[in-house]
Amino acid sequence: MLNIHNLSVSFGGEYLFEEISFRLNGGNRVGLVGKNGAGKSTLLKLLSKDMALDTGTIAIEKDITIGFLRQDIEFQLGRTVLEEAYQAFEEIKKLEVKIDEINHQLAERTDYESEGYNQLIIDLSDVSHHYEILGGYNYQGETEKILQGLGFDREDFDKKTETFSGGWRMRIELAKLLLQSNDVLLLDEPTNHLDIESIIWFEQFLNNYTGAVVIVSHDKMFLDNVTNRTIEISLGRIYDYNKPYTQYLVLRNEIKQQQLSAQKNQEKEIQQAERLIEKFRAKSTKASMAQSLIKKLDKIERIEVDEDDNSVMNLRFPISVTPGKVVVEIENLSKNYGSKEVLNGINLLIERDSKTAFVGQNGQGKSTLAKIIVGELEHEGHLKLGHNVQIGYFAQNQAEYLDGSKTVLDTMIDAANETNRSKVRDILGSFLFRGDEVEKYVKVLSGGERNRLALAKMLLQPFNVLVMDEPTNHLDIKSKNVLKQACENFEGTLILVSHDRDFLQGLTNKVYEFKNHVIKEYLGDVEFYLQQRKAEDFRAIEKKQEKRVEQKVEKKNTSFQDQKKIKSLKNQLSTVESKIGALEKEIKTIDHDLLMDYDGTIAKPNFFDAYQSKKDELEKLMSDWERLSSKIETFAP
């Protein structure tokens, strides 16, 4: 589909990447990864022809269409959500206009036997046939399905796009892209504005997509769930393997270990040859042998070990004074924006040293409650902060809290006090702002660099309660890992608003789901929360089926033998359910081990084979469960 050959791009005389080559085929779902500033978004712009090449070629097969999800979007004012989404069907909309024009002409004419009237009938038939082939009778339903999958409610469809936040407008743009049936999708951080439920839906969509996809994302779990290939840009080179991200890390580390071993053995051979050369040079009878060894050494292709860009920020949140046992106490709290109700009758108690996650769809009040806790929003009801509570706050729209006209250094100096002003340069250095980089203006920083600066700025003020609203947006994977480690080591109270499952996994001990203006508590991490949500659905189905079975058994007055068969089937079903529960726990443990392997540690022998075997076994058990349930439900004497 796309063939990229010897592609190079440089800025200010320095190469982002140099002479990189790869091919993109149908069915490839590529995770494009690398540090902030490595050139990922630039590569997408080159593939989409939004940006001109320096050197190299990009060959695209004939009739291949490419869709690109850009970070900067503009909508025409006055359109509703549905009207904007329908812009994905440009040709269908033109045909609708043409059909209306022909129908209007037919309604006005009365010369039913004329050649002109007959030609209009033929034209209407041709246009209508073309309209049907393009999906004209189905596109409206498909549009509503995609919009709902991305989190929109039906009542949102007729609202103007300008009434939505930038994140929701980005969802509309993503919906348009998914509706266009492009052969290639280029997605630049598509999950930044999606909640957990929408991400799960989006994963299913991409896994069923038959074209090629290139995804820039810092969500490791999302990459693992949807990609089958990883291309990493590092120090101007690319590393390309047909593996999802986590498996790629393991494989690349294994290859690097092999390179190190081979390089070590080669060095021993070279040193041995050099010793023989020195020995033979001293003897005239051995001079020809020495020359032969020198020529042999010159021809040896030296083994190189892949370089890694291991520079990461250094982050550790300091703790201030110890607060009281209860940090935040909320009773009957409500919040409205005009006539729109966001929160209603919220009761919440957050204790010292707890780690809490706020999850749920966008617009359900997560960020609103976080802003209320830090004192940025007025509200109804009771909120009380505990004794000695000092809050550090990382806002979702952190860029708005930074002055673009200031330099990185001035931003930090202005936020510092007498006791830590002398440490500003050291803090900036630990966040990868070194040398002349501290003189950069904030307005020219990338999203990831602004987040790093905002995190560095937080270290200048003491706190014992940390409230973070979507802190991982725009951070590269290594920086996210550093931030997660810092949150794990933080000895104070942590409140996280996030849709990043990989970041949240194992980090919190309590989850609050925001839905329909209220919150629901789950005593575990985000994986426990997701499992509980699925388990509730599972039990609901099971209870419904059991009720239907009981009704059928009673209605049909089954015989004693039939009742024995039903009992046997139920026993088998119970056994299968127990096995499913045990196996799901095993897989969760393995998933956790796999997650902790982010630094590239070599996995145990046959790790992935055993892992896949368990998943296959679980899939078989689920099939057995469905078969047994179906037998019970449809059982007839």
Side-chain angles (χ1 to χ4, degrees), residues 16-61:
L16 267 180
F17 39 79
E18 186 175 8
E19 295 188 350
I20 64 172
S21 300
F22 63 93
R23 182 173 176 80
L24 196 63
N25 298 312
N28 285 165
R29 294 195 295 274
V30 179
L32 185 60
V33 300
K35 287 185 60 180
N36 293 125
K40 305 183 296 296
S41 295
T42 299
L43 182 55
L44 290 191
K45 291 176 182 177
L46 291 170
L47 296 178
S48 66
K49 297 187 177 179
D50 275 19
M51 183 174 170
L53 305 176
D54 281 2
T55 60
T57 60
I58 299 177
I60 304 174
E61 291 180 11

Side-chain angles (χ1 to χ4, degrees), residues 165 328 330 333-335 337 342-343 348 350 358 365-379 383 385 391-398 400-401 466-470 495-497 514:
S165 67
V328 180
I330 294 174
L333 184 146
S334 297
K335 175 63 182 176
Y337 290 102
V342 180
L343 299 170
L348 178 65
I350 295 178
F358 289 174
K366 306 185 301 297
S367 296
T368 296
L369 186 57
K371 289 178 181 178
I372 289 172
I373 290 172
V374 302
E376 284 201 357
L377 288 178
E378 297 293 329
H379 60 89
L383 184 147
L385 297 182
I391 297 179
Y393 177 46
F394 185 97
Q396 182 177 357
N397 54 339
Q398 195 62 48
E400 297 177 13
Y401 288 75
L466 179 55
V467 180
M468 307 192 86
D469 190 356
E470 301 291 3
I495 301 172
L496 287 172
V497 179
F514 286 64

Side-chain angles (χ1 to χ4, degrees), residues 313-329:
M313 64 180 181
N314 180 21
L315 177 59
R316 188 176 183 88
F317 295 116
I319 190 78
S320 60
V321 297
T322 302
K325 184 177 180 182
V326 176
V327 171
V328 180
E329 183 180 2

Side-chain angles (χ1 to χ4, degrees), residues 459-551:
L459 302 191
L460 298 173
Q461 301 297 331
F463 53 83
N464 48 34
V465 177
L466 179 55
V467 180
M468 307 192 86
D469 190 356
E470 301 291 3
T472 61
N473 281 358
H474 305 294
L475 285 183
D476 58 59
I477 291 174
K478 288 183 178 179
S479 296
K480 278 169 57 176
N481 290 336
V482 171
L483 176 59
K484 181 171 182 176
Q485 189 67 48
C487 288
E488 288 176 343
N489 294 334
F490 180 55
E491 295 177 356
T493 306
L494 183 65
I495 301 172
L496 287 172
V497 179
S498 180
H499 65 262
D500 190 330
R501 292 165 297 163
D502 176 49
F503 179 72
L504 288 177
Q505 189 176 45
L507 186 53
T508 63
N509 49 34
K510 190 178 292 185
V511 172
Y512 285 98
E513 180 189 39
F514 286 64
K515 192 172 184 179
N516 298 328
H517 318 305
V518 297
I519 62 176
K520 184 176 180 181
E521 183 183 66
Y522 294 84
L523 298 175
D525 70 355
V526 69
E527 288 303 305
F528 174 79
Y529 154 71
L530 287 173
Q531 286 177 4
Q532 289 298 302
R533 284 291 306 273
K534 292 175 182 177
E536 285 178 0
D537 294 339
F538 188 89
R539 285 197 296 269
I541 294 169
E542 184 180 358
K543 287 178 181 178
K544 186 176 179 181
Q545 288 176 335
E546 286 179 352
K547 186 175 181 181
R548 287 164 66 183
V549 169
E550 288 170 1
Q551 289 172 344

